[in-house]
Amino acid sequence: MFKAAKTFNILLFSPLVLILFSFPGTVAQVFAEEDVLNPSYNWTPQFYGKIEGESKLLYTRSFARSQLRFVDIDNDGDDDLFVGKADGRIAFFINQGDFSAPLFELQTEDFVVIHEGLDEQNNPTLQKTVLDVGNNAAPEFADIDNDGDFDLFIGSKDGHIFHYENRGNQLSPVFFRKTPIYMGLKFEGNSVPRFADLNGDRALDLLIGTRSGRVHVFFNSGMTDEAVFCTKFSIADPQDLRCKYQPELITDITPQIDAVPELVDWDQDKDLDLVVGKSNGKINYYLNNGDRFAPQWKLISKHFQFIDTGGNVAPTFKDLNHDNFPELFLGTSSSMVIYYENNEVLMDQLSKISAVQLEKLDKSASFEIILSQACKQLRGLPECLTTLAAAFGVPAEVKIAGMDELQPYILRPDLSIDTNPDQISPATSTGGAETESGADTAVDENSAADTESQAANEGEAEGDAVPTDPATADGEQKAETPAINKEIEKLKLQGVITRNQLWLASRNFFKIENLSGSERHSNITSGDWNKDGRLDILLGSRSGEIFAFENRAESGTDWYPIHFPALKKNKRQFSSP
């Protein structure tokens, strides 16, 4: 039986004593007994724990088929993170870092929204409920009503798009379910919505990936504050008189399925290119040969950056370090999210020159401006050319007379892009075809870093092709330079050459740890087996192995694995210590 006691702290003091002795006085405690109370509990999930001194995301459910969306949901100047999962729910990570150094910390695996309804007396009610779309949640955020805050859209396994209207504000969002079938749009399954202004009219358009492998685009027939997306309609009798755009099929990735589209300006030409994740773990890349008013996507790679996750892949681009070159995140069939840093080529090369102060360069400026700024730090032209040429690997016998002549040694060919004689000149196509063939067999480890290393070698080989005959007159050598740079510009327009440089940074971006490895059916028992006053744990498993962890934390938990020969795998199976 529990007795509840209220404690009243009463501060008694005399003004004279307080002044003379600076004593706060005495404390009298008064206890008032009340009736017996039933104990109540408020369970708060704890997601993080330490393993051998390092904080890990330890206590979670599965993050399989993760779909990541970054958005500044609380308007504090940095991006937070929402993750759709295979279980149909949304996890929310708040950014505890800042604009330049993000630090994402899981707040909930079960994001809560508001459902409106009626009670037994038909009175309107508001009910907080865990957002659950069944399976394969694919979140997307967009200010679809142009009221200054983000609304929430979620694709699902059944092909519907759920719409949650934000009736809070920029600082404190509150999402109310508006409809489980947005605009009456239904798809074959595993719908993945993406919003962007694709035709330059400032109204958001809608891109949809589907289970069948098709990617559709719905141009907005409405306005910035009232969207209208129309299914296929008869011009003589549209379902909405405002309908002016028919839906269009952008691509079909069959025989692969589960198309996951993502828009990104990969070639830095101010319009949106398209990548599409596939069920085989690879990614298609579509170059936008149109512009920001009339996109024309053309498939130029079926194995973008030679990435292969081995199963469903959901690409998300986000410029985390704000250098205008986006990082890449890959949701996979498992709980592991793969993270690629984008070490932009020019800044990466300039970092090798100790005399160049990178912090004084405008990273968002054009290629030519950045080179010019670096040159000024190196005592200007022509003195800077010698230092820059050495840093960029220009052969010693090649004389560089101008900044533009450095481009072939800096810009890297993207070996994952499919090239053919119609796209590039005969002189380049021969070498390019051989390089791509070799690169395909050389990247079995699925590392973009390895690919870029090969690209660097290709860049050096391309540099070796520059005329270096000592007998060639200076005038003749200069005459060759415009042709080289013209070819560079041509390749850049075709998306074959890029300043992007993806390096594999982590295969476990969330730092998820499983104490029992890949084992299933874990059963836990705790106890202080070493009598040090801290609770230790034993984990059973399906294989029969028992995993032992000793707690060495001064406070809280810090698990250190302990290996006992007697607890190894045996014929018991399904051990429960």
Side-chain angles (χ1 to χ4, degrees):
M1 182 174 294
F2 295 91
K3 292 285 186 180
K6 285 186 177 179
T7 302
F8 299 88
N9 292 330
I10 302 176
L11 183 64
L12 302 176
F13 63 88
S14 162
L16 180 60
V17 174
L18 179 64
I19 294 172
L20 293 178
F21 300 99
S22 298
F23 288 159
T26 60
V27 177
Q29 294 182 330
V30 180
F31 296 93
E33 289 192 358
E34 291 187 349
D35 295 333
V36 175
L37 295 179
N38 292 322
S40 61
Y41 301 94
N42 182 20
W43 298 102
T44 302
Q46 179 180 341
F47 300 112
Y48 292 89
K50 287 186 177 181
I51 299 180
E52 298 185 80
E54 184 177 356
S55 180
K56 299 280 189 178
L57 185 51
L58 193 56
Y59 313 110
T60 65
R61 301 194 302 271
S62 173
F63 275 82
R65 295 185 69 116
S66 290
Q67 298 258 3
L68 282 69
R69 303 316 288 170
F70 294 87
V71 60
D72 184 7
I73 200 63
D74 51 5
N75 199 35
D76 63 349
D78 52 44
D79 288 308
D80 306 299
L81 173 60
F82 289 80
V83 182
K85 301 177 295 174
D87 63 5
R89 300 188 176 190
I90 304 291
F92 171 54
F93 292 75
I94 194 169
N95 190 344
Q96 300 285 25
D98 54 32
F99 180 82
S100 58
L103 178 62
F104 299 103
E105 185 174 294
L106 180 61
Q107 299 297 296
T108 179
E109 292 182 282
D110 303 304
F111 190 69
V112 173
V113 291
I114 305 295
H115 283 195
E116 296 176 296
L118 298 174
D119 62 16
E120 295 178 354
Q121 287 75 38
N122 286 328
N123 296 316
T125 62
L126 299 178
Q127 181 180 2
K128 283 188 176 181
T129 185
V130 173
L131 193 161
D132 192 335
V133 298
N135 293 103
N136 301 344
E140 173 69 331
F141 289 85
D143 185 8
I144 200 65
D145 49 9
N146 198 32
D147 64 350
D149 54 38
F150 291 102
D151 304 298
L152 172 60
F153 299 82
I154 308 173
S156 61
K157 182 179 180 179
D158 62 10
H160 296 173
I161 299 175
F162 292 71
H163 176 203
Y164 290 82
E165 183 182 15
N166 188 349
R167 298 182 188 172
N169 53 48
Q170 292 180 343
L171 300 176
S172 181
V174 182
F175 294 99
F176 285 72
R177 186 177 68 173
K178 193 166 184 179
T179 175
I181 309 178
Y182 180 62
M183 293 282 176
L185 301 175
K186 299 179 182 179
F187 301 93
E188 304 92 335
N190 289 345
S191 52
V192 181
R194 297 289 182 258
F195 286 94
D197 178 11
L198 298 175
N199 56 4
D201 63 355
R202 295 189 295 178
L204 294 176
D205 306 303
L206 176 60
L207 204 68
I208 298 287
T210 63
R211 174 175 173 77
S212 68
R214 296 174 180 173
V215 178
H216 306 271
V217 62
F218 293 79
F219 289 102
N220 194 339
S221 294
M223 299 178 291
T224 56
D225 58 353
E226 189 176 0
V228 176
F229 298 110
C230 303
T231 56
K232 190 173 182 179
F233 60 90
S234 167
I235 297 178
D237 185 24
Q239 66 262 36
D240 189 314
L241 294 177
R242 294 171 294 178
C243 288
K244 55 184 178 181
Y245 296 114
Q246 297 277 10
E248 299 179 21
L249 177 65
I250 295 178
T251 187
D252 188 342
I253 64 171
T254 53
Q256 304 305 319
I257 59 173
D258 287 334
V260 180
E262 176 73 343
L263 294 161
V264 60
D265 184 9
W266 185 247
D267 59 351
Q268 301 287 316
D269 65 348
K270 309 302 181 184
D271 57 36
L272 292 174
D273 306 303
L274 173 66
V275 297
V276 179
K278 301 181 289 186
S279 57
N280 65 352
K282 299 178 183 179
I283 299 173
N284 281 3
Y285 170 44
Y286 301 80
L287 179 68
N288 188 347
N289 286 325
D291 53 36
R292 63 189 184 91
F293 301 102
Q296 295 179 0
W297 289 292
K298 180 180 180 181
L299 176 63
I300 62 173
S301 176
K302 293 184 179 180
H303 198 177
F304 177 68
Q305 296 289 298
F306 299 111
I307 288 169
D308 188 346
T309 65
N312 292 84
V313 59
T316 297
F317 282 97
K318 182 63 183 179
D319 184 11
L320 279 187
N321 57 2
H322 304 281
D323 63 351
N324 291 330
F325 291 87
E327 280 65 49
L328 174 61
F329 301 83
L330 302 176
T332 66
S333 299
S334 71
S335 290
M336 300 296 102
V337 170
I338 301 172
Y339 167 46
Y340 289 92
E341 290 181 344
N342 194 343
N343 297 319
E344 186 269 322
V345 170
L346 180 56
M347 299 300 295
D348 187 51
Q349 299 254 33
L350 289 174
S351 66
K352 301 173 184 176
I353 306 175
S354 59
V356 174
Q357 296 176 292
L358 297 181
E359 64 275 8
K360 293 185 178 181
L361 302 179
D362 183 1
K363 297 180 181 179
S364 62
S366 68
F367 186 91
E368 292 76 15
I369 290 176
I370 294 176
L371 267 182
S372 177
Q373 292 174 346
C375 183
K376 288 179 181 179
Q377 294 187 29
L378 299 171
R379 298 191 298 176
L381 289 169
E383 288 84 354
C384 69
L385 293 177
T386 302
T387 304
L388 291 173
F392 298 148
V394 178
E397 64 271 17
V398 177
K399 294 182 180 180
I400 298 296
M403 301 283 279
D404 57 341
E405 296 179 28
L406 292 170
Q407 289 195 28
Y409 303 95
I410 303 172
L411 295 172
R412 307 291 178 81
D414 186 343
L415 303 182
S416 69
I417 289 179
D418 303 323
T419 57
N420 59 59
D422 294 331
Q423 291 178 311
I424 56 179
S425 64
T428 310
S429 65
T430 303
E434 292 176 357
T435 303
E436 286 185 12
S437 175
D440 266 333
T441 59
V443 290
D444 294 336
E445 294 298 322
N446 180 31
S447 169
D450 294 341
T451 302
E452 292 298 342
S453 176
Q454 294 171 7
N457 295 333
E458 175 68 10
E460 292 173 3
E462 186 178 342
D464 291 339
V466 177
T468 59
D469 187 353
T472 304
D474 289 343
E476 293 176 343
Q477 192 169 2
K478 289 180 181 179
E480 289 289 331
T481 301
I484 295 173
N485 292 331
K486 185 177 180 180
E487 187 65 26
I488 289 288
E489 292 303 317
K490 180 180 178 182
L491 294 176
K492 282 197 289 185
L493 288 174
Q494 295 168 349
V496 177
I497 285 184
T498 176
R499 287 173 61 185
N500 296 288
Q501 184 175 230
L502 294 180
W503 292 87
L504 179 62
S506 174
R507 293 188 181 274
N508 186 7
F509 178 68
F510 293 149
K511 294 186 177 180
I512 296 175
E513 189 75 23
N514 188 346
L515 289 176
S516 57
S518 60
E519 291 281 2
R520 302 173 62 188
H521 302 287
S522 296
N523 297 292
I524 187 169
T525 297
S526 63
D528 184 10
W529 68 54
N530 54 5
K531 306 301 181 183
D532 63 354
R534 307 183 186 99
L535 286 178
D536 310 303
I537 56 173
L538 295 174
L539 290 175
S541 68
R542 180 176 182 176
S543 70
E545 182 173 359
I546 296 176
F547 298 85
F549 292 88
E550 184 177 82
N551 184 7
R552 300 180 185 175
E554 292 299 326
S555 62
T557 59
D558 189 357
W559 306 116
Y560 282 74
I562 305 296
H563 301 285
F564 296 114
L567 303 182
K568 292 296 183 182
K569 291 182 181 179
N570 52 49
K571 296 181 180 180
R572 290 192 305 266
Q573 295 193 339
F574 295 99
S575 57
S576 181

PDB file of all heavy atoms in Angstrom, residues 3 77 88 92 128 134 146 158 184 213 244 325 330 357 394 405 424 453 486 500 511 518 529 533:
ATOM      1  N   LYS A   3       1.405   5.331   0.444  1.00  0.00           N
ATOM      2  CA  LYS A   3       0.922   6.564   1.040  1.00  0.00           C
ATOM      3  C   LYS A   3       1.508   7.728   0.264  1.00  0.00           C
ATOM      4  O   LYS A   3       2.712   7.772   0.007  1.00  0.00           O
ATOM      5  CB  LYS A   3       1.355   6.671   2.512  1.00  0.00           C
ATOM      6  CG  LYS A   3       0.687   5.655   3.427  1.00  0.00           C
ATOM      7  CD  LYS A   3      -0.745   6.039   3.707  1.00  0.00           C
ATOM      8  CE  LYS A   3      -1.372   5.106   4.734  1.00  0.00           C
ATOM      9  NZ  LYS A   3      -2.762   5.474   5.016  1.00  0.00           N
ATOM     10  N   GLY A  77      15.740  27.301 -38.912  1.00  0.00           N
ATOM     11  CA  GLY A  77      16.888  27.566 -39.765  1.00  0.00           C
ATOM     12  C   GLY A  77      17.694  26.351 -40.159  1.00  0.00           C
ATOM     13  O   GLY A  77      18.663  26.472 -40.914  1.00  0.00           O
ATOM     14  N   GLY A  88       4.462   1.345 -42.503  1.00  0.00           N
ATOM     15  CA  GLY A  88       3.410   2.315 -42.790  1.00  0.00           C
ATOM     16  C   GLY A  88       3.428   3.535 -41.903  1.00  0.00           C
ATOM     17  O   GLY A  88       2.565   4.413 -42.029  1.00  0.00           O
ATOM     18  N   PHE A  92      10.383  10.525 -36.868  1.00  0.00           N
ATOM     19  CA  PHE A  92      10.773  11.934 -36.899  1.00  0.00           C
ATOM     20  C   PHE A  92      12.086  12.127 -36.153  1.00  0.00           C
ATOM     21  O   PHE A  92      12.217  11.746 -34.991  1.00  0.00           O
ATOM     22  CB  PHE A  92       9.683  12.801 -36.271  1.00  0.00           C
ATOM     23  CG  PHE A  92      10.089  14.239 -36.060  1.00  0.00           C
ATOM     24  CD1 PHE A  92      10.576  14.999 -37.112  1.00  0.00           C
ATOM     25  CD2 PHE A  92       9.988  14.834 -34.809  1.00  0.00           C
ATOM     26  CE1 PHE A  92      10.961  16.320 -36.924  1.00  0.00           C
ATOM     27  CE2 PHE A  92      10.364  16.152 -34.608  1.00  0.00           C
ATOM     28  CZ  PHE A  92      10.852  16.895 -35.674  1.00  0.00           C
ATOM     29  N   LYS A 128      -6.008  12.534 -31.414  1.00  0.00           N
ATOM     30  CA  LYS A 128      -4.614  12.295 -31.763  1.00  0.00           C
ATOM     31  C   LYS A 128      -4.422  10.814 -32.045  1.00  0.00           C
ATOM     32  O   LYS A 128      -4.864   9.968 -31.271  1.00  0.00           O
ATOM     33  CB  LYS A 128      -3.689  12.722 -30.618  1.00  0.00           C
ATOM     34  CG  LYS A 128      -3.479  14.219 -30.500  1.00  0.00           C
ATOM     35  CD  LYS A 128      -2.407  14.527 -29.464  1.00  0.00           C
ATOM     36  CE  LYS A 128      -2.125  16.013 -29.399  1.00  0.00           C
ATOM     37  NZ  LYS A 128      -1.052  16.326 -28.411  1.00  0.00           N
ATOM     38  N   GLY A 134      -0.660   1.860 -43.519  1.00  0.00           N
ATOM     39  CA  GLY A 134      -0.697   0.434 -43.847  1.00  0.00           C
ATOM     40  C   GLY A 134       0.691  -0.131 -44.023  1.00  0.00           C
ATOM     41  O   GLY A 134       1.228  -0.794 -43.138  1.00  0.00           O
ATOM     42  N   ASN A 146      -0.005  27.319 -50.219  1.00  0.00           N
ATOM     43  CA  ASN A 146       0.704  28.600 -50.236  1.00  0.00           C
ATOM     44  C   ASN A 146       0.381  29.469 -49.019  1.00  0.00           C
ATOM     45  O   ASN A 146       0.241  30.687 -49.120  1.00  0.00           O
ATOM     46  CB  ASN A 146       0.374  29.371 -51.523  1.00  0.00           C
ATOM     47  CG  ASN A 146       1.385  30.470 -51.816  1.00  0.00           C
ATOM     48  OD1 ASN A 146       2.567  30.342 -51.497  1.00  0.00           O
ATOM     49  ND2 ASN A 146       0.929  31.559 -52.418  1.00  0.00           N
ATOM     50  N   ASP A 158      -0.936   0.612 -50.995  1.00  0.00           N
ATOM     51  CA  ASP A 158      -2.152   0.416 -51.785  1.00  0.00           C
ATOM     52  C   ASP A 158      -2.268   1.400 -52.949  1.00  0.00           C
ATOM     53  O   ASP A 158      -3.243   1.358 -53.702  1.00  0.00           O
ATOM     54  CB  ASP A 158      -3.402   0.490 -50.901  1.00  0.00           C
ATOM     55  CG  ASP A 158      -3.588   1.841 -50.232  1.00  0.00           C
ATOM     56  OD1 ASP A 158      -2.858   2.790 -50.592  1.00  0.00           O
ATOM     57  OD2 ASP A 158      -4.453   1.948 -49.346  1.00  0.00           O
ATOM     58  N   GLY A 184      -8.359  12.233 -55.671  1.00  0.00           N
ATOM     59  CA  GLY A 184      -8.912  11.046 -56.311  1.00  0.00           C
ATOM     60  C   GLY A 184      -7.898  10.236 -57.094  1.00  0.00           C
ATOM     61  O   GLY A 184      -8.268   9.358 -57.881  1.00  0.00           O
ATOM     62  N   GLY A 213       6.553   0.309 -61.851  1.00  0.00           N
ATOM     63  CA  GLY A 213       7.772   0.799 -62.480  1.00  0.00           C
ATOM     64  C   GLY A 213       7.565   2.053 -63.301  1.00  0.00           C
ATOM     65  O   GLY A 213       8.512   2.596 -63.862  1.00  0.00           O
ATOM     66  N   LYS A 244      -6.472  21.549 -67.523  1.00  0.00           N
ATOM     67  CA  LYS A 244      -5.847  21.929 -68.792  1.00  0.00           C
ATOM     68  C   LYS A 244      -4.639  21.065 -69.132  1.00  0.00           C
ATOM     69  O   LYS A 244      -4.141  21.113 -70.254  1.00  0.00           O
ATOM     70  CB  LYS A 244      -5.447  23.398 -68.773  1.00  0.00           C
ATOM     71  CG  LYS A 244      -4.545  23.808 -67.624  1.00  0.00           C
ATOM     72  CD  LYS A 244      -4.290  25.313 -67.644  1.00  0.00           C
ATOM     73  CE  LYS A 244      -3.430  25.747 -66.455  1.00  0.00           C
ATOM     74  NZ  LYS A 244      -3.197  27.207 -66.453  1.00  0.00           N
ATOM     75  N   PHE A 325      26.153  21.511 -53.863  1.00  0.00           N
ATOM     76  CA  PHE A 325      26.382  20.185 -54.424  1.00  0.00           C
ATOM     77  C   PHE A 325      25.791  19.169 -53.455  1.00  0.00           C
ATOM     78  O   PHE A 325      26.330  18.949 -52.369  1.00  0.00           O
ATOM     79  CB  PHE A 325      27.878  19.945 -54.665  1.00  0.00           C
ATOM     80  CG  PHE A 325      28.431  20.800 -55.767  1.00  0.00           C
ATOM     81  CD1 PHE A 325      28.897  22.075 -55.502  1.00  0.00           C
ATOM     82  CD2 PHE A 325      28.438  20.345 -57.072  1.00  0.00           C
ATOM     83  CE1 PHE A 325      29.382  22.886 -56.514  1.00  0.00           C
ATOM     84  CE2 PHE A 325      28.923  21.141 -58.097  1.00  0.00           C
ATOM     85  CZ  PHE A 325      29.393  22.418 -57.823  1.00  0.00           C
ATOM     86  N   LEU A 330      20.428   6.890 -49.391  1.00  0.00           N
ATOM     87  CA  LEU A 330      19.746   5.760 -50.013  1.00  0.00           C
ATOM     88  C   LEU A 330      19.025   4.934 -48.962  1.00  0.00           C
ATOM     89  O   LEU A 330      19.656   4.330 -48.088  1.00  0.00           O
ATOM     90  CB  LEU A 330      20.749   4.868 -50.757  1.00  0.00           C
ATOM     91  CG  LEU A 330      21.583   5.523 -51.858  1.00  0.00           C
ATOM     92  CD1 LEU A 330      22.581   4.520 -52.422  1.00  0.00           C
ATOM     93  CD2 LEU A 330      20.694   6.066 -52.966  1.00  0.00           C
ATOM     94  N   GLN A 357      43.258  29.633 -49.162  1.00  0.00           N
ATOM     95  CA  GLN A 357      42.351  29.651 -48.017  1.00  0.00           C
ATOM     96  C   GLN A 357      40.931  29.395 -48.526  1.00  0.00           C
ATOM     97  O   GLN A 357      40.273  30.286 -49.068  1.00  0.00           O
ATOM     98  CB  GLN A 357      42.437  30.995 -47.298  1.00  0.00           C
ATOM     99  CG  GLN A 357      43.810  31.268 -46.687  1.00  0.00           C
ATOM    100  CD  GLN A 357      43.892  32.654 -46.071  1.00  0.00           C
ATOM    101  OE1 GLN A 357      43.868  33.663 -46.769  1.00  0.00           O
ATOM    102  NE2 GLN A 357      43.975  32.697 -44.754  1.00  0.00           N
ATOM    103  N   VAL A 394      48.686  18.452 -64.127  1.00  0.00           N
ATOM    104  CA  VAL A 394      49.071  18.738 -65.505  1.00  0.00           C
ATOM    105  C   VAL A 394      50.501  18.247 -65.721  1.00  0.00           C
ATOM    106  O   VAL A 394      51.393  18.546 -64.919  1.00  0.00           O
ATOM    107  CB  VAL A 394      48.986  20.251 -65.795  1.00  0.00           C
ATOM    108  CG1 VAL A 394      49.429  20.549 -67.226  1.00  0.00           C
ATOM    109  CG2 VAL A 394      47.564  20.753 -65.556  1.00  0.00           C
ATOM    110  N   GLU A 405      42.535  26.519 -69.865  1.00  0.00           N
ATOM    111  CA  GLU A 405      43.255  25.318 -70.265  1.00  0.00           C
ATOM    112  C   GLU A 405      43.376  24.302 -69.127  1.00  0.00           C
ATOM    113  O   GLU A 405      43.791  23.160 -69.342  1.00  0.00           O
ATOM    114  CB  GLU A 405      44.647  25.697 -70.778  1.00  0.00           C
ATOM    115  CG  GLU A 405      44.617  26.551 -72.033  1.00  0.00           C
ATOM    116  CD  GLU A 405      46.009  26.936 -72.502  1.00  0.00           C
ATOM    117  OE1 GLU A 405      46.960  26.167 -72.235  1.00  0.00           O
ATOM    118  OE2 GLU A 405      46.150  28.001 -73.126  1.00  0.00           O
ATOM    119  N   ILE A 424      28.993  11.913 -78.554  1.00  0.00           N
ATOM    120  CA  ILE A 424      30.313  12.505 -78.411  1.00  0.00           C
ATOM    121  C   ILE A 424      31.115  12.297 -79.676  1.00  0.00           C
ATOM    122  O   ILE A 424      30.760  11.498 -80.538  1.00  0.00           O
ATOM    123  CB  ILE A 424      31.062  11.905 -77.206  1.00  0.00           C
ATOM    124  CG1 ILE A 424      31.146  10.384 -77.335  1.00  0.00           C
ATOM    125  CG2 ILE A 424      30.388  12.263 -75.913  1.00  0.00           C
ATOM    126  CD1 ILE A 424      31.887   9.728 -76.206  1.00  0.00           C
ATOM    127  N   SER A 453      37.769   7.382 -58.166  1.00  0.00           N
ATOM    128  CA  SER A 453      39.199   7.171 -58.300  1.00  0.00           C
ATOM    129  C   SER A 453      39.541   6.779 -59.727  1.00  0.00           C
ATOM    130  O   SER A 453      40.507   7.251 -60.312  1.00  0.00           O
ATOM    131  CB  SER A 453      39.659   6.083 -57.325  1.00  0.00           C
ATOM    132  OG  SER A 453      41.020   5.809 -57.513  1.00  0.00           O
ATOM    133  N   LYS A 486      35.988  23.411 -76.127  1.00  0.00           N
ATOM    134  CA  LYS A 486      34.689  23.272 -76.780  1.00  0.00           C
ATOM    135  C   LYS A 486      34.142  21.871 -76.552  1.00  0.00           C
ATOM    136  O   LYS A 486      32.948  21.677 -76.313  1.00  0.00           O
ATOM    137  CB  LYS A 486      34.832  23.566 -78.272  1.00  0.00           C
ATOM    138  CG  LYS A 486      33.512  23.556 -79.032  1.00  0.00           C
ATOM    139  CD  LYS A 486      33.722  23.930 -80.489  1.00  0.00           C
ATOM    140  CE  LYS A 486      32.391  23.924 -81.237  1.00  0.00           C
ATOM    141  NZ  LYS A 486      32.572  24.283 -82.670  1.00  0.00           N
ATOM    142  N   ASN A 500      30.246  17.156 -59.562  1.00  0.00           N
ATOM    143  CA  ASN A 500      29.859  16.326 -58.426  1.00  0.00           C
ATOM    144  C   ASN A 500      30.852  15.188 -58.235  1.00  0.00           C
ATOM    145  O   ASN A 500      31.373  14.626 -59.197  1.00  0.00           O
ATOM    146  CB  ASN A 500      28.467  15.731 -58.653  1.00  0.00           C
ATOM    147  CG  ASN A 500      27.394  16.795 -58.713  1.00  0.00           C
ATOM    148  OD1 ASN A 500      27.040  17.385 -57.705  1.00  0.00           O
ATOM    149  ND2 ASN A 500      26.884  17.049 -59.912  1.00  0.00           N
ATOM    150  N   LYS A 511      23.180   5.150 -37.517  1.00  0.00           N
ATOM    151  CA  LYS A 511      23.965   4.500 -36.461  1.00  0.00           C
ATOM    152  C   LYS A 511      23.106   3.520 -35.663  1.00  0.00           C
ATOM    153  O   LYS A 511      23.114   3.492 -34.433  1.00  0.00           O
ATOM    154  CB  LYS A 511      24.605   5.532 -35.530  1.00  0.00           C
ATOM    155  CG  LYS A 511      25.660   6.386 -36.202  1.00  0.00           C
ATOM    156  CD  LYS A 511      26.355   7.296 -35.205  1.00  0.00           C
ATOM    157  CE  LYS A 511      27.461   8.098 -35.874  1.00  0.00           C
ATOM    158  NZ  LYS A 511      28.150   8.998 -34.922  1.00  0.00           N
ATOM    159  N   SER A 518      22.436 -10.071 -36.277  1.00  0.00           N
ATOM    160  CA  SER A 518      21.332 -10.375 -37.189  1.00  0.00           C
ATOM    161  C   SER A 518      20.384 -11.421 -36.627  1.00  0.00           C
ATOM    162  O   SER A 518      19.479 -11.885 -37.317  1.00  0.00           O
ATOM    163  CB  SER A 518      21.895 -10.862 -38.533  1.00  0.00           C
ATOM    164  OG  SER A 518      22.684 -12.029 -38.343  1.00  0.00           O
ATOM    165  N   TRP A 529      25.110  -9.563 -12.360  1.00  0.00           N
ATOM    166  CA  TRP A 529      25.846 -10.804 -12.125  1.00  0.00           C
ATOM    167  C   TRP A 529      27.227 -10.571 -11.508  1.00  0.00           C
ATOM    168  O   TRP A 529      27.795 -11.465 -10.897  1.00  0.00           O
ATOM    169  CB  TRP A 529      25.962 -11.624 -13.411  1.00  0.00           C
ATOM    170  CG  TRP A 529      26.837 -11.050 -14.506  1.00  0.00           C
ATOM    171  CD1 TRP A 529      28.128 -10.663 -14.405  1.00  0.00           C
ATOM    172  CD2 TRP A 529      26.466 -10.826 -15.860  1.00  0.00           C
ATOM    173  NE1 TRP A 529      28.601 -10.209 -15.593  1.00  0.00           N
ATOM    174  CE2 TRP A 529      27.601 -10.301 -16.525  1.00  0.00           C
ATOM    175  CE3 TRP A 529      25.312 -11.030 -16.592  1.00  0.00           C
ATOM    176  CZ2 TRP A 529      27.597  -9.967 -17.873  1.00  0.00           C
ATOM    177  CZ3 TRP A 529      25.309 -10.708 -17.930  1.00  0.00           C
ATOM    178  CH2 TRP A 529      26.431 -10.179 -18.559  1.00  0.00           C
ATOM    179  N   GLY A 533      26.571  -3.236  -8.609  1.00  0.00           N
ATOM    180  CA  GLY A 533      25.495  -2.278  -8.435  1.00  0.00           C
ATOM    181  C   GLY A 533      24.857  -1.816  -9.726  1.00  0.00           C
ATOM    182  O   GLY A 533      23.985  -0.947  -9.710  1.00  0.00           O
TER     183      GLY A 533
END
